[in-house]
Amino acid sequence: MTLETDIITFLSEEWNVTPIRTTQSKFCPVDCILTKNDNFVAICEVRTRRDKWDDVQRWGGMFLNYIKLNNAIEMSRQFCVPFLFVAYFIPDDILMYWKVTNDKGQIEIEMTLTSRNAQDNIADGKDVKRIRNVVMLPNNPKVIKKITF
């Protein structure tokens, strides 16, 4: 069981939804789809960070891979559900989320496109650093609550 799994379980209980997980053995557009009464209600990407929220704010905001964002927006449009980006900041023990799109797949928050040196983890355990396009989310997420996993 991973911290990400714990977070998804917590969200399912907090929001009274049932998660459908995507595979973790290869790239997927999102981490899970949230359902209620057998209907899709949201798609969700979950991140855990060893950084403090204050540090992330000083760096300019939370980053999300541009390709992953575009895939999630397209899923949001196709399934007619919002896309939620959830982040858990381990040192602060706080869980936050951004509602990136509405149920029509329309973007609801301002984002900044930038490039940065990023680390990719690949299947054989090697880390590869490369420049890639990322989107910086604004510094105004909704706080779910302080939690301990």
Side-chain angles (χ1 to χ4, degrees), residues 59-71:
W59 301 331
M62 190 72 188
F63 290 98
L64 176 59
N65 179 298
Y66 184 72
I67 294 169
K68 189 168 264 278
L69 172 70
N70 278 333
N71 288 336

Side-chain angles (χ1 to χ4, degrees), residues 114-120 128-134:
T114 186
S115 293
R116 68 181 281 234
N117 202 4
Q119 180 171 309
D120 286 334
V128 176
K129 292 193 186 288
R130 63 185 172 99
I131 300 293
R132 72 170 168 211
N133 290 329
V134 294

Side-chain angles (χ1 to χ4, degrees), residues 9-148:
T9 300
F10 174 84
L11 293 175
S12 68
E13 293 167 359
E14 183 75 10
W15 291 341
N16 193 28
V17 294
T18 302
I20 300 172
R21 294 293 310 266
T22 56
T23 182
Q24 294 188 351
S25 62
K26 57 185 173 184
F27 177 83
C28 287
V30 294
D31 291 323
C32 70
I33 299 169
L34 303 177
T35 67
K36 190 170 197 167
N37 301 323
D38 296 327
N39 294 305
F40 291 170
V41 294
I43 55 176
C44 188
E45 177 68 14
V46 177
R47 296 288 165 81
T48 58
R49 291 291 178 254
R50 297 197 185 287
D51 308 306
K52 290 185 174 190
W53 172 239
D54 287 344
D55 292 336
V56 172
Q57 288 179 299
R58 273 190 282 117
W59 301 331
M62 190 72 188
F63 290 98
L64 176 59
N65 179 298
Y66 184 72
I67 294 169
K68 189 168 264 278
L69 172 70
N70 278 333
N71 288 336
I73 290 170
E74 185 58 30
M75 286 181 69
S76 173
R77 284 186 188 123
Q78 290 176 356
F79 294 135
C80 302
V81 296
F83 166 49
L84 307 176
F85 181 78
V86 178
Y88 177 60
F89 297 91
I90 296 168
D92 300 321
D93 192 31
I94 195 161
L95 189 62
M96 301 178 172
Y97 76 98
W98 290 258
K99 184 178 177 190
V100 179
T101 68
N102 61 21
D103 63 1
K104 295 177 179 68
Q106 298 165 329
I107 297 171
E108 290 204 333
I109 61 176
E110 287 188 34
M111 296 177 277
T112 305
L113 179 64
T114 186
S115 293
R116 68 181 281 234
N117 202 4
Q119 180 171 309
D120 286 334
N121 294 315
I122 50 180
D124 61 5
K126 294 179 184 172
D127 290 334
V128 176
K129 292 193 186 288
R130 63 185 172 99
I131 300 293
R132 72 170 168 211
N133 290 329
V134 294
V135 174
M136 189 167 38
L137 301 175
N139 285 331
N140 61 348
K142 293 180 174 67
V143 176
I144 298 172
K145 66 167 61 173
K146 285 197 170 228
I147 52 176
T148 301

